[in-house]
Amino acid sequence: MRIPTSRLRKSRIRGFSILEVLIASVVLTVGLLGGVVLLSVATASNSRSKFDTTATTLAESVMERIVSIPENATGPAAQSSITDCTGSTFLINTAVGGAALNATNDRIDFAQAAPSGNYSMRYVVCSSNANVTYEVRWRIDNGPVAGTQLVTVGAKVLNASQSHATLFAFPVNIRTLRGD
């Protein structure tokens, strides 16, 4: 059985059907949308990491200032200070007391009102894009043995130009013991 050559030529030059073009377009669209979503998530994750890193660095800076002062210091000797990029200077009280802790996990409770007595600050970090404000709070408790104190410092981002990136930027909490 021989197929006529005119029929073979017609089948070769026929091209794509509208259904094939539609399916190819849907597959291409789904792939491109997936790529856009992936890039968006990666950008938000990168921004969130930047906020977490800055909060951690700020909490460590406050922690170092507290730990550098002897636990038995009183009055002005029990305070340190830190200045942000806007020129605001914040006193850091290193006496026992401070921010409220969450009862379930002993972390700084940012749902409570900010403590008085120089145990919190709103520190501004300046950058070329926009200034970002972090809330930093700390608490000092008597330690497990005489002559020691447990220091807890928490920091969280308050505002940022990329608000979608701060949705999952949780507060950072660090602890250490100071003393003998």
Side-chain angles (χ1 to χ4, degrees):
M1 205 185 246
R2 193 165 173 217
I3 301 173
T5 56
S6 63
R7 193 171 175 197
L8 282 175
R9 282 189 201 139
K10 284 183 180 177
S11 67
R12 278 190 230 152
I13 59 173
R14 193 180 84 168
F16 295 106
S17 71
I18 213 142
L19 183 62
E20 291 171 328
V21 171
L22 183 62
I23 291 172
S25 297
V26 167
V27 169
L28 183 62
T29 302
V30 168
L32 288 175
L33 287 177
V36 168
V37 168
L38 182 68
L39 288 174
S40 176
V41 168
T43 302
S45 178
N46 186 35
S47 295
R48 187 174 56 247
S49 295
K50 181 179 78 171
F51 294 134
D52 287 346
T53 301
T54 304
T56 302
T57 303
L58 188 53
E60 287 174 348
S61 178
V62 171
M63 176 74 73
E64 288 173 5
R65 291 174 187 276
I66 292 170
V67 172
S68 69
I69 295 176
E71 74 277 357
N72 58 1
T74 58
Q79 290 190 342
S80 181
S81 65
I82 190 169
T83 304
D84 67 8
C85 68
T86 64
S88 299
T89 300
F90 303 97
L91 292 177
I92 299 173
N93 193 342
T94 63
V96 173
L101 297 178
N102 187 312
T104 58
N105 59 17
D106 288 335
R107 293 174 175 256
I108 299 294
D109 190 354
F110 285 96
Q112 301 291 326
S116 60
N118 298 322
Y119 290 101
S120 69
M121 65 179 153
R122 292 199 172 200
Y123 190 93
V124 178
V125 176
C126 298
S127 71
S128 58
N129 297 337
N131 295 350
V132 180
T133 304
Y134 290 83
E135 184 169 2
V136 184
R137 298 180 184 185
W138 54 96
R139 179 175 184 83
I140 302 166
D141 293 305
N142 291 319
V145 295
T148 63
Q149 292 177 329
L150 179 63
V151 180
T152 306
V153 180
K156 75 172 194 164
V157 64
L158 287 181
N159 70 338
S161 59
Q162 303 103 342
S163 60
H164 66 280
T166 63
L167 288 176
F168 298 106
F170 298 110
V172 172
N173 279 267
I174 58 174
R175 310 187 122 129
T176 193
L177 282 172
R178 79 169 176 173
D180 300 330

